[in-house]
C-alpha cells in the first residue's frame, strides 16, 4: 500500500514484508532516489522531486513491486 498518490511531500509505504530497497525512477529511466533497509510501515520525503510521473520500485524479501506515483 502506497499513499497518498498523488502527493507533493511525503509518501507512506506499508507492506507485510520487510522492505529492502525503494527506488524512484523518472520517465527517462534514471533512478532519482534510493532508500535502503526500511521497516514497514515507512515514509519517504519526495518534496525535492520535480512534479511528474515516476515509477516506484520496491524490493521485498521475495519480490519486486512496481507502482506508478504522481508528484504534484
Amino acid at each position: 500500500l502506497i499513499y497518498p498518490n498523488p502527493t507533493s511531500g511525503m509518501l507512506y509505504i506499508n507492506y507485510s514484508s520487510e522492505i529492502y530497497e525503494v527506488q524512484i525512477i523518472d520517465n527517462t529511466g534514471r533512478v532519482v532516489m534510493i532508500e535502503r533497509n526500511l521497516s514497514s510501515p515507512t515514509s519517504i520525503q519526495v518534496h525535492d522531486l520535480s512534479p511528474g510521473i515516476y515509477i516506484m520500485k520496491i524490493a521485498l524479501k521475495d519480490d519486486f513491486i512496481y507502482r506508478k506515483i504522481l508528484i504534484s
Side-chain angles (χ1 to χ4, degrees):
L1 179 62
I2 300 170
Y3 59 95
N5 190 13
T7 187
S8 61
M10 190 75 80
L11 271 173
Y12 297 93
I13 305 168
N14 190 0
Y15 281 97
S16 58
S17 259
E18 182 179 353
I19 301 170
Y20 289 103
E21 182 177 87
V22 173
Q23 294 182 5
I24 298 181
I25 304 162
D26 69 11
N27 61 355
T28 66
R30 184 173 58 106
V31 176
V32 295
M33 182 181 290
I34 297 177
E35 297 285 336
R36 291 188 173 101
N37 300 321
L38 303 168
S39 60
S40 185
T42 191
S43 60
I44 296 177
Q45 291 187 13
V46 294
H47 64 272
D48 290 337
L49 297 177
S50 299
I53 297 173
Y54 295 84
I55 298 295
M56 178 178 281
K57 178 183 176 183
I58 302 170
L60 303 174
K61 181 179 180 181
D62 297 322
D63 201 8
F64 289 100
I65 297 171
Y66 296 87
R67 295 289 183 264
K68 189 183 303 184
I69 58 171
L70 177 61
I71 307 298
S72 56

